[in-house]
mmCIF file of all heavy atoms in Angstrom:
data_model
loop_
_atom_site.group_PDB
_atom_site.id
_atom_site.type_symbol
_atom_site.label_atom_id
_atom_site.label_comp_id
_atom_site.label_asym_id
_atom_site.label_seq_id
_atom_site.Cartn_x
_atom_site.Cartn_y
_atom_site.Cartn_z
ATOM 1 N N SER W 158 47.381 123.063 128.553
ATOM 2 C CA SER W 158 48.012 123.674 129.709
ATOM 3 C C SER W 158 47.094 123.350 130.914
ATOM 4 O O SER W 158 45.940 123.495 130.882
ATOM 5 C CB SER W 158 48.307 125.073 129.556
ATOM 6 O OG SER W 158 47.173 125.815 129.219
ATOM 7 N N TYR W 159 47.816 123.213 132.016
ATOM 8 C CA TYR W 159 47.068 122.946 133.348
ATOM 9 C C TYR W 159 47.674 123.726 134.399
ATOM 10 O O TYR W 159 48.988 123.693 134.709
ATOM 11 C CB TYR W 159 47.212 121.526 133.701
ATOM 12 C CG TYR W 159 46.564 120.509 132.602
ATOM 13 C CD1 TYR W 159 47.389 120.041 131.625
ATOM 14 C CD2 TYR W 159 45.176 120.119 132.708
ATOM 15 C CE1 TYR W 159 46.923 119.153 130.622
ATOM 16 C CE2 TYR W 159 44.733 119.240 131.805
ATOM 17 C CZ TYR W 159 45.472 118.764 130.784
ATOM 18 O OH TYR W 159 45.084 117.918 129.877
ATOM 19 N N ARG W 160 46.951 124.581 135.002
ATOM 20 C CA ARG W 160 47.524 125.471 136.247
ATOM 21 C C ARG W 160 47.316 124.637 137.561
ATOM 22 O O ARG W 160 46.312 124.225 137.882
ATOM 23 C CB ARG W 160 46.770 126.757 136.278
ATOM 24 C CG ARG W 160 46.939 127.681 135.053
ATOM 25 C CD ARG W 160 46.166 129.108 135.327
ATOM 26 N NE ARG W 160 46.393 129.908 134.094
ATOM 27 C CZ ARG W 160 47.587 130.605 133.978
ATOM 28 N NH1 ARG W 160 48.484 130.701 134.894
ATOM 29 N NH2 ARG W 160 47.759 131.457 132.890
ATOM 30 N N THR W 161 48.537 124.676 138.211
ATOM 31 C CA THR W 161 48.552 124.164 139.485
ATOM 32 C C THR W 161 48.159 125.235 140.612
ATOM 33 O O THR W 161 48.268 126.334 140.190
ATOM 34 C CB THR W 161 49.916 123.511 139.809
ATOM 35 O OG1 THR W 161 50.991 124.492 139.730
ATOM 36 C CG2 THR W 161 50.271 122.374 138.857
ATOM 37 N N LEU W 162 47.947 124.766 141.689
ATOM 38 C CA LEU W 162 47.376 125.746 142.813
ATOM 39 C C LEU W 162 48.443 126.632 143.067
ATOM 40 O O LEU W 162 48.142 127.974 143.112
ATOM 41 C CB LEU W 162 46.883 125.026 143.994
ATOM 42 C CG LEU W 162 46.255 125.790 145.106
ATOM 43 C CD1 LEU W 162 45.005 126.630 144.530
ATOM 44 C CD2 LEU W 162 45.987 125.027 146.217
ATOM 45 N N ASP W 163 49.608 126.247 143.393
ATOM 46 C CA ASP W 163 50.699 127.195 143.777
ATOM 47 C C ASP W 163 52.021 126.832 143.237
ATOM 48 O O ASP W 163 53.182 127.097 143.884
ATOM 49 C CB ASP W 163 50.816 127.149 145.347
ATOM 50 C CG ASP W 163 51.007 125.775 145.913
ATOM 51 O OD1 ASP W 163 51.082 124.793 145.183
ATOM 52 O OD2 ASP W 163 51.153 125.669 147.087
ATOM 53 N N GLY W 164 51.964 126.075 142.065
ATOM 54 C CA GLY W 164 53.327 125.657 141.349
ATOM 55 C C GLY W 164 53.219 126.167 140.003
ATOM 56 O O GLY W 164 52.427 127.094 139.531
ATOM 57 N N PRO W 165 54.103 125.610 139.196
ATOM 58 C CA PRO W 165 54.211 126.126 137.802
ATOM 59 C C PRO W 165 53.069 125.510 136.889
ATOM 60 O O PRO W 165 52.531 124.552 137.371
ATOM 61 C CB PRO W 165 55.617 125.470 137.384
ATOM 62 C CG PRO W 165 55.751 124.332 138.222
ATOM 63 C CD PRO W 165 55.104 124.652 139.503
ATOM 64 N N THR W 166 52.781 126.292 135.750
ATOM 65 C CA THR W 166 51.927 125.636 134.929
ATOM 66 C C THR W 166 52.456 124.367 134.119
ATOM 67 O O THR W 166 53.564 124.376 133.804
ATOM 68 C CB THR W 166 51.543 126.725 133.762
ATOM 69 O OG1 THR W 166 50.884 127.865 134.410
ATOM 70 C CG2 THR W 166 50.522 126.233 132.823
ATOM 71 N N ILE W 167 51.626 123.364 133.921
ATOM 72 C CA ILE W 167 52.038 122.134 133.197
ATOM 73 C C ILE W 167 51.641 122.217 131.859
ATOM 74 O O ILE W 167 50.404 122.462 131.584
ATOM 75 C CB ILE W 167 51.480 120.919 133.953
ATOM 76 C CG1 ILE W 167 52.021 120.885 135.343
ATOM 77 C CG2 ILE W 167 51.894 119.671 133.250
ATOM 78 C CD1 ILE W 167 51.279 119.916 136.305
ATOM 79 N N HIS W 168 52.531 122.028 130.811
ATOM 80 C CA HIS W 168 52.178 121.891 129.538
ATOM 81 C C HIS W 168 52.292 120.544 128.954
ATOM 82 O O HIS W 168 53.324 119.974 129.028
ATOM 83 C CB HIS W 168 53.112 122.914 128.624
ATOM 84 C CG HIS W 168 52.761 124.295 128.904
ATOM 85 N ND1 HIS W 168 51.931 125.188 128.112
ATOM 86 C CD2 HIS W 168 53.299 125.221 129.860
ATOM 87 C CE1 HIS W 168 51.965 126.317 128.590
ATOM 88 N NE2 HIS W 168 52.623 126.368 129.683
#
Side-chain angles (χ1 to χ4, degrees):
S158 60
Y159 303 85
R160 292 187 178 275
T161 58
L162 184 61
D163 56 358
T166 298
I167 300 172
H168 292 266

